[in-house]
Amino acid sequence: MRDFLLVRRKQGWIAFRPLDEEDARHARHVPDSPPSQVRLSPEYSLPEGFVPLWPSSDATDALVPPDLIERLLAWQSDFDGSYHPERGWLSHEAKERWATSSAELEAELREALSGKAELVVDLWPLGQKERHYPKG
């Protein structure tokens, strides 16, 4: 089970904080069943080990092979080190490296989710429109 709570902030910012007992008492029970749609999208400063797939759940992660999960974690880490929320990409090379990696991961994830879930790819840091791949 994930131990972070997603918290919305002003101006569209999203933050994560550790889940505490008070949160657990008020949390709505959501079944941890596989989603019919999975979104690949980076996010600013995700906690270490947080896979950039949405909805964020163990059931979502279970649809993806462990070696691909590791590459998605590295992709998110590269994003964190190469993209600043206010200034954008730190260099053109960093953006190109991340874009190349994104295309490779998108293809692998599309194959991994084939027949299991629709894939939605949102690479907003590259200025690309959202792409949808049906599960079938």
Side-chain angles (χ1 to χ4, degrees), residues 53-109:
L53 297 175
W54 313 96
S56 180
S57 73
D58 292 335
T60 300
D61 294 355
L63 295 173
V64 182
D67 60 318
L68 183 51
I69 291 286
E70 291 302 316
R71 290 196 300 285
L72 288 165
L73 290 170
W75 178 77
Q76 175 63 43
S77 180
D78 186 29
F79 175 74
D80 283 336
S82 302
Y83 188 88
H84 188 275
E86 295 171 3
R87 295 187 294 271
W89 292 100
L90 300 181
S91 70
H92 178 71
E93 293 78 20
K95 179 181 179 181
E96 290 302 312
R97 179 186 66 242
W98 192 81
T100 299
S101 179
S102 297
E104 293 167 359
L105 287 171
E106 180 179 336
E108 289 181 55
L109 193 54

Side-chain angles (χ1 to χ4, degrees), residues 23-56:
D23 297 324
R25 280 198 301 272
H26 297 290
R28 186 176 58 137
H29 175 70
V30 178
D32 208 16
S33 58
S36 60
Q37 184 183 75
V38 174
R39 175 181 298 273
L40 170 63
S41 184
E43 187 55 70
Y44 309 130
S45 303
L46 289 176
E48 188 174 334
F50 204 94
V51 182
L53 297 175
W54 313 96
S56 180

